[in-house]
Amino acid sequence: MSIPPVIVMWAVPRSRSTAFLRMIIERGDLDVVHEPFSNLAATGRFDLGEATATSIEELFELLLDRARASERRLFVKETADYRYGALLADPRLHTDLTNTFMIRDPAAVVGSHYAMNRTVERDEIGFERVYEIFNVVRAAGAPTVVIDGDDLVADPPAVVARYCELTGLPFLPDALTWDQGARPEWARTEAWHRDVSRSSGFTAAANEHPIDPADAERVDALIAYHRPFYERLREHRIAGAAVR
């Protein structure tokens, strides 16, 4: 069975997925594209090399063409700020992609998102959308790989090594650390990635995110709504005995 040319990480926003992407960039052996579908949804277009996509269908074609034309596998990091419905009915979602997922406890995700955007809406949190993609891929009988961001920072070598094993990548321990600094890949949304820009590796340090008492009930409701999706996805996470 051939290895799909594209690895995609469907991530809940604020799940530490950008730190994971930074590690992937540090490897140097993969072609990397940062959040193409969410950038398309936000701006109406996405430039990939010399080509421009203005629809999900066009962008998916460009990504697959790029992967087929390259000697390196393509790694796409994407967030679930938006729903990418046109992908869900396309069988190449599970034949041409290795689908991986990143989650994190909803309380931490919602608190971090709220700190950046106090008017965050329910669906922007992303767990339900990630779970939808996960179910489509699983229903087709394709493999899935789920990482919990808290497991990742608790034992980066074990989790990354297992991720590499399941996605057909060599484990490169030297990529677990990197130089501090912003990356051109996330220039448009740089404000959301400042913690990673200041980091040089995976860290379990968590920032305090005070909640305005006037918003406390709404924030609690967001956490409660998404927790069932988180728990269902967490049942499939790769942490297990390898990390404990």
Side-chain angles (χ1 to χ4, degrees):
M1 183 176 179
S2 62
I3 298 175
V6 182
I7 302 171
V8 60
M9 172 169 276
W10 304 105
V12 174
R14 318 308 290 166
S15 61
R16 298 189 168 113
S17 59
T18 303
F20 195 90
L21 176 78
R22 184 63 187 84
M23 179 271 297
I24 292 291
I25 293 171
E26 192 68 17
R27 292 175 58 95
D29 63 340
L30 297 169
D31 189 10
V32 177
V33 179
H34 175 256
E35 300 182 2
F37 293 106
S38 55
N39 274 284
L40 171 66
T43 68
R45 59 178 288 159
F46 187 81
D47 297 325
L48 193 65
E50 297 181 356
T52 298
T54 57
S55 71
I56 288 177
E57 294 86 351
E58 286 180 343
L59 179 52
F60 196 22
E61 292 288 351
L62 288 179
L63 290 167
L64 293 176
D65 287 346
R66 178 166 172 148
R68 296 187 191 104
S70 176
E71 295 181 357
R72 299 183 296 167
R73 290 178 78 186
L74 177 64
F75 183 92
V76 178
K77 181 257 190 179
E78 191 52 82
T79 61
D81 300 73
Y82 305 90
R83 184 177 185 269
Y84 313 113
L87 293 180
L88 300 179
D90 193 322
R92 293 174 300 177
L93 175 68
H94 43 82
T95 60
D96 289 27
L97 308 184
T98 296
N99 290 278
T100 71
F101 304 84
M102 181 167 280
I103 57 174
R104 186 185 178 194
D105 188 277
V109 167
V110 172
S112 181
H113 210 141
Y114 173 84
M116 295 294 298
N117 173 21
R118 292 201 169 196
T119 62
V120 58
E121 296 183 1
R122 187 193 73 184
D123 292 343
E124 293 177 89
I125 301 300
F127 283 96
E128 186 172 12
R129 290 170 175 159
V130 167
Y131 186 62
E132 181 182 27
I133 299 170
F134 175 85
N135 276 338
V136 169
V137 174
R138 294 274 293 188
T144 56
V145 180
V146 180
I147 289 180
D148 189 309
D150 292 328
D151 290 333
L152 173 64
V153 299
D155 193 344
V159 173
V160 173
R162 181 64 173 149
Y163 181 92
C164 290
E165 178 185 356
L166 293 171
T167 56
L169 295 173
F171 175 48
L172 304 180
D174 289 348
L176 296 176
T177 58
W178 51 80
D179 292 333
Q180 294 183 10
R183 294 286 309 182
E185 290 88 350
W186 59 67
R188 190 186 70 83
T189 52
E190 195 276 332
W192 290 81
H193 310 300
R194 285 174 183 160
D195 288 345
V196 177
S197 297
R198 296 170 182 143
S199 74
S200 56
F202 295 110
T203 175
N207 296 324
E208 293 294 325
H209 302 300
I211 306 298
D212 187 325
D215 292 331
E217 184 175 349
R218 182 173 67 86
V219 170
D220 287 345
L222 290 174
I223 296 169
Y225 181 84
H226 287 280
R227 186 163 295 282
F229 301 109
Y230 164 75
E231 295 292 350
R232 292 168 198 157
L233 287 162
R234 192 171 185 271
E235 291 174 0
H236 301 274
R237 80 195 199 285
I238 66 172
V243 195
R244 295 175 180 172

